[in-house]
Amino acid sequence: MGQGLWRIARNQQLQQQGYSAPGYLTREHGRRIPANNVSNTSHRKQAQGGIDIYHLLKTRKSKEQEGFINLEMLPPELSFTILSYLNATDLCLASCVWQDLANDELLWQGLCKSTWGHCSIYNKNPPLGFSFRKLYMQLDEGSLTFNANPDEGVNYFMSKGILDDSPKEIAKFIFCTRTLNWKKLRIYLDERRDVLDDLVTLHNFRNQFLPNALREFFRHIHAPEERGEYLETLITKFSHRFCACNPDLMRELGLSPDAVYVLCYSLILLSIDLTSPHVKNKMSKREFIRNTRRAAQNISEDFVGHLYDNIYLIGHVAA
């Protein structure tokens, strides 16, 4: 009670002395802070890490008044680097403002090769009037055609001189391209086994753990939705390629392509069992080891256990 009355009397005394006048608002650490500096002080108090927010807002406002940076005023190397992050649509829009920069062949060449990593025309002498910008439009048109009808898409690429009529060249194009519809691609590879053979040989599974190699394989060559002859063909080709890439490991573990084939099928079935919501009683590690070693007796128990752990922790091999 006494302290409250003392504060009231003290405040009245300060008011009489003029400390609460417009010129001074408060006292802090023995200093009197002018009222016209309160806004700056509050901005600085809100800042963290020594950053003056008031200064940043003021700088930002002045930059907005100045407008965007003109890329033509920058060094060409820096301007090209900035524009290289744009896609084809944005690059075309940028050409309305920076025509000389956005139409540069190096930019369109990089855009073509980043989307379609391999084309036969890349390794040929360009014909008269060749343009990477025009090539991009043709590659985009051909990809859309492929996603509607794979055979017509491949024929379009060949008619434009983009691809040679060779299974190996077609396989390289598919391996380095991510814009093709995987369902249409699966149908095409099922019909063109010669292209499929060359596509499998492009994979390098050296020093890879078997489930991880199988995941990489099915990322490029999607597995069918149902078991059948095509899935068996894919696993057979993968098994031989995996053994060819890891001859020392195969000798050390005593594995053959047939044994790898059995393991791959076991991994696919285990993936379905562990990830399917319809399977209530999941296969245990002990059951998986017992079933797998029953089909391939020369495989060590520890190796099969590591296979189970990989599927359990990482997930499906053919998702």
Side-chain angles (χ1 to χ4, degrees), residues 9 23 57 64 68 72 93 113 158 173 182 216 263 283:
L57 293 175
E64 290 176 351
F68 293 103
E72 294 178 349
L93 293 175
K113 293 187 176 182
M158 293 179 183
F173 175 80
W182 64 270
E216 180 183 337
L263 290 177
M283 184 182 297

Side-chain angles (χ1 to χ4, degrees), residues 73 184 203 298:
M73 303 299 294
K184 297 294 183 180
H203 290 81
N298 294 332

Side-chain angles (χ1 to χ4, degrees), residues 210-211 214 263-271 288 307 311 317:
L210 181 60
L214 199 57
L263 290 177
C264 290
Y265 241 116
S266 299
L267 291 173
I268 293 175
L269 295 177
L270 177 64
S271 299
F288 177 74
L307 296 177
I311 303 301
V317 293

Side-chain angles (χ1 to χ4, degrees), residues 12-24 32:
Q12 291 177 351
Q13 182 181 3
L14 292 174
Q15 290 177 2
Q16 292 175 359
Q17 293 177 357
Y19 284 94
S20 61
Y24 296 96
R32 293 183 293 183

Side-chain angles (χ1 to χ4, degrees), residues 148-207:
N149 188 310
D151 291 328
E152 292 183 3
V154 174
N155 291 334
Y156 176 87
F157 290 130
M158 293 179 183
S159 65
K160 300 297 182 180
I162 298 174
L163 277 181
D164 293 339
D165 188 4
S166 165
K168 190 173 184 179
E169 286 296 301
I170 299 174
K172 288 182 179 180
F173 175 80
I174 293 174
F175 185 78
C176 300
T177 302
R178 299 293 177 268
T179 60
L180 304 179
N181 182 277
W182 64 270
K183 291 184 178 180
K184 297 294 183 180
L185 182 59
R186 186 175 62 193
I187 296 174
Y188 179 78
L189 293 176
D190 191 13
E191 297 175 351
R192 292 291 305 269
R193 298 298 176 91
D194 54 343
V195 176
L196 178 61
D197 290 338
D198 287 316
L199 185 59
V200 172
T201 58
L202 294 175
H203 290 81
N204 184 10
F205 302 123
R206 183 171 179 79
N207 296 328

Side-chain angles (χ1 to χ4, degrees), residues 216-245:
E216 180 183 337
F217 179 76
F218 283 128
R219 271 197 294 267
H220 288 95
I221 307 174
H222 291 270
E225 297 176 356
E226 298 178 356
R227 282 180 283 179
E229 186 271 336
Y230 182 57
L231 178 60
E232 294 177 359
T233 299
L234 291 181
I235 298 177
T236 300
K237 293 182 181 298
F238 169 82
S239 302
H240 284 84
R241 182 59 184 169
F242 184 82
C243 292
C245 293

